[in-house]
């Protein structure tokens, strides 16, 4: 099921063409189209398996529509989508996990979305540490979300709890000493 979940993430976040589907402007795709496309791509996933993947995803990567006919990635897109998230007041402090090798550049230039549409921030340092471990020796940066928000930076909270913003200027970042 892990391989199927990774394939769904690839299709719903970065490369819908891998399953021959098209995301609508908000990132949704009809589940029947997705399952048919996955089968054509050699990734046999039935409705029950899809629902199990959605329910058991540790990071809650996927969102089902209220009527249960469509699915999308909760966040993390590199393809252009408008999730329709409403700006929200963030907690005073958020966290970003990265690799130690990236800290100097980030502290000089700030956090940028890279290949994704927005910067991803975590509510807690443990989650950020896990994210950072995917890229090397993890370092957790602290983000002064309160001051950013007070100065007009917008924040959004994805369906899975991840906080999103367009960029984090360096003056709002603190690295561990």
């Amino acid at each position: 099921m892990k391989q199927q979940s990774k394939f769904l993430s690839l299709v719903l976040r970065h490369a819908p063409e891998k399953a021959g589907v098209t995301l609508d402007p908000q990132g949704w795709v009809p589940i029947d189209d997705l399952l048919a496309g996955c089968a054509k791509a050699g990734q046999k996933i039935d409705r029950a398996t899809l629902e199990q993947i959605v329910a058991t995803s540790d990071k809650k990567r996927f969102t089902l529509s209220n009527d249960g006919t469509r699915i999308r990635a909760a966040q993390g897109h590199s393809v252009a989508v408008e999730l329709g998230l409403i700006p929200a007041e963030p907690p005073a402090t958020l966290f970003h996990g990265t690799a130690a090798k990236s800290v100097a550049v980030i502290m000089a230039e700030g956090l940028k979305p890279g290949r994704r549409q927005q910067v991803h921030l975590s509510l807690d340092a443990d989650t950020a540490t896990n994210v950072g471990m995917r890229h090397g020796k993890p370092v957790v940066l602290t983000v002064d979300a309160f001051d950013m928000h007070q100065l007009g930076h917008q924040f959004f909270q994805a369906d899975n709890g991840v906080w999103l913003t367009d960029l984090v200027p360096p003056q709002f970042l603190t690295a561990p000493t």
Side-chain angles (χ1 to χ4, degrees):
M1 209 164 38
K2 186 174 184 176
Q3 179 183 353
Q4 293 164 319
S5 180
K6 284 186 176 194
F7 185 72
L8 290 172
S9 286
L10 173 68
V11 168
L12 296 173
R13 291 168 124 186
H14 311 295
E17 69 278 3
K18 297 279 186 186
V21 298
T22 301
L23 306 181
D24 77 7
Q26 293 80 39
W28 295 105
V29 64
I31 290 173
D32 291 342
D33 293 356
L34 178 65
L35 297 180
C38 288
K40 286 180 186 173
Q43 292 286 331
K44 183 88 171 108
I45 303 172
D46 60 24
R47 177 71 187 229
T49 302
L50 178 74
E51 289 178 0
Q52 186 176 12
I53 290 169
V54 171
T56 61
S57 171
D58 59 336
K59 295 182 181 176
K60 304 207 181 306
R61 288 186 169 99
F62 312 106
T63 302
L64 295 177
S65 62
N66 289 337
D67 65 4
T69 63
R70 299 175 301 150
I71 187 171
R72 72 178 180 184
Q75 43 70 230
H77 299 83
S78 61
V79 296
V81 298
E82 177 50 59
L83 296 175
L85 301 175
I86 297 176
E89 184 173 342
T93 303
L94 290 166
F95 302 92
H96 182 80
T98 192
K101 64 186 177 205
S102 302
V103 172
V105 171
I106 291 171
M107 294 307 291
E109 299 178 7
L111 283 170
K112 300 174 184 175
R115 296 177 323 193
R116 299 194 177 170
Q117 289 188 302
Q118 293 179 302
V119 174
H120 296 185
L121 303 171
S122 304
L123 281 170
D124 61 86
D126 288 342
T127 300
T129 299
N130 290 334
V131 170
M133 287 193 322
R134 295 185 304 189
H135 307 288
K137 183 180 179 210
V139 172
V140 175
L141 304 175
T142 302
V143 177
D144 183 353
F146 178 82
D147 281 351
M148 277 185 67
H149 186 256
Q150 291 296 311
L151 290 173
H153 292 267
Q154 289 191 324
F155 288 83
F156 306 87
Q157 191 171 27
D159 295 343
N160 61 358
V162 172
W163 282 89
L164 307 168
T165 192
D166 292 338
L167 63 99
V168 179
Q171 65 266 33
F172 300 105
L173 293 169
T174 305
T177 54

